[in-house]
Amino acid sequence: MDLMQISGQFSVSGDCLEVKPFGNGHINDTYAVTCASEGGVRRYILQKLNSRVFPHPTALMNNFAAVTAYLRPIIKKEGGDPDRECLKVIPTVQGAAYYVDGEGEVWRMTQLIENTDAYLVAESSAMFEDAGRAFGLFIKRLEGFDAASLIEVIPDFHNTVKRYENLEKAVAADKAGRASGVKDLIDFARARKDKTSVIVSALKEGRIPLRVTHNDTKLNNVLIDTATQKAICVIDLDTVMPGSLLYDFGDAIRVGCSTAEEDEKDLSKVNFDRENFVAFTRGFMRGLGDNLTVNEEKLLPTGAILMTFECGMRFLTDYLEGDVYFKTAYPEHNLVRCRTQFKLVEEMEKSLDFMQKTVDDIYFDILKGNKQKEA
Ligand code: ADP
Ligand code: GN1
Ligand code: MG
């Protein structure tokens, strides 16, 4: 695979000088491409899509193009800079949204948003609050987008009931011969089986709305401006699909309210950060504005616990299946990740009353503020 040759397939400005691995994603292979022309140096993001996770690139890129085309004028109208605050597909020289190499691998390119950083843990609660605002705003801006026009690229992505069933199937098949060594974790999941249906049922019964959501709101999927520390661009749009805002809230809390990285081996370092919870919740709710329904508000803490539990189950399932989904750096990587997630679930369960009171208080303040504005 010749990365320079592949970069040259896209409509970049100037000549490609260098291609380097970039970022910390678990799914796609990401590179920064440096190009130069008389006009100056410009960098791009080149990604090889993970074909096992995303087998239908046309559908995926159609979603990507539709969502970004919808967001860009909104950002502009709000006084923002769409080139910095929204991803944009750089087409191939033939005008296609992606390039297929000789081995059948799918590549795409976007602009690299300069002077930003992506964080694995929240460096301050102010930063995390602003990430919350950006993710809330992302959902709000997409409120009028026709959800039915989006293809569900990964069906049942956050169907926690199915994720649990997949775990049980992986335990039964025990393909990698690892099940006997993780009995404690399997028991942990089994003890919470009843909880898996809470969001799925609420959606099915129409108690909470189906929205267009991001579905992968971990902190390193929002770029933070290096100078201002403000969250400026939500990236990793591959899983934008119809979903619940509880998924986006919960997945962000899972990462940003952990006091350690997702693959910390020393579990004593993995705790639930209450200050960050307050900050993110405030940012997220303010970003959403009037969009939150009462039933969603009540379920926000459950969303945090369930998304963390679900992610832990996914890591455990992958460990049992022999590490076929997430990128791993060593044989127990998925196991280590599962343990941090389950430890966090326990910590969140202990903090449930605190989370609910926080959410209620912020909701009340927002409603009060709205009333005052009306008066
Ligand atoms: P994955 O699906 O593998 O997580 P991402 O699209 O999230 O792939 O990209 C991986 C990482 O690359 C991000 O976490 C971020 O650090 C960096 N990155 C991706 N796109 C951009 C971009 N347009 N500008 C700057 N950094 C980016
Ligand atoms: C993956 O793509 P990335 O690294 O941002 C995964 C998420 C998981 C996350 C766990 C498409 O996210 O669902 O929550 O890893 N993305 C996909 O770190 O499965
Ligand atoms: Mg990512």
Side-chain angles (χ1 to χ4, degrees), residues 252-265:
I253 295 297
R254 172 184 83 73
V255 177
C257 290
S258 173
T259 49
E261 286 190 23
E262 197 177 67
D263 55 1
E264 171 58 57
K265 289 182 181 151

Side-chain angles (χ1 to χ4, degrees), residues 24-28 30 47 214 216 218 220-222 235-238:
N24 269 306
H26 290 350
I27 301 296
N28 299 313
T30 303
Q47 288 182 311
H214 182 280
D216 190 0
K218 66 192 215 188
N220 71 351
N221 285 333
V222 61
I235 59 165
D236 204 346
L237 305 178
D238 298 333

Side-chain angles (χ1 to χ4, degrees), residues 22 30-32 43-47 108-112:
F22 199 76
T30 303
Y31 302 89
R43 293 199 298 167
Y44 299 88
I45 289 284
L46 174 70
Q47 288 182 311
R108 61 126 181 262
M109 193 176 262
T110 64
Q111 86 277 37
L112 187 152

Side-chain angles (χ1 to χ4, degrees), residues 325-345:
Y325 186 92
F326 296 105
K327 284 188 194 170
T328 49
Y330 54 91
E332 289 79 35
H333 208 161
N334 273 318
L335 180 59
V336 167
R337 289 169 175 153
C338 168
R339 289 198 188 283
T340 61
Q341 301 308 293
F342 283 3
K343 165 84 193 284
L344 261 183
V345 168

Side-chain angles (χ1 to χ4, degrees), residues 143 149 180 197 232 251 291:
E143 225 215 337
S149 70
S180 61
S197 61
I232 59 149
D251 201 41
N291 273 253

Side-chain angles (χ1 to χ4, degrees), residues 124-173:
S124 68
S125 45
M127 173 195 286
F128 196 41
E129 175 165 350
D130 207 54
R133 182 196 51 78
F135 284 130
L137 197 55
F138 184 84
I139 295 176
K140 182 185 164 154
R141 285 174 174 160
L142 288 171
E143 225 215 337
F145 185 92
D146 176 18
S149 70
L150 285 176
I151 291 152
E152 219 182 329
V153 279
I154 307 180
D156 294 318
F157 191 57
H158 283 310
N159 184 327
T160 316
V161 174
K162 293 236 164 106
R163 294 292 189 184
Y164 177 83
E165 287 167 9
N166 290 345
L167 172 61
E168 286 290 5
K169 280 184 204 153
V171 173

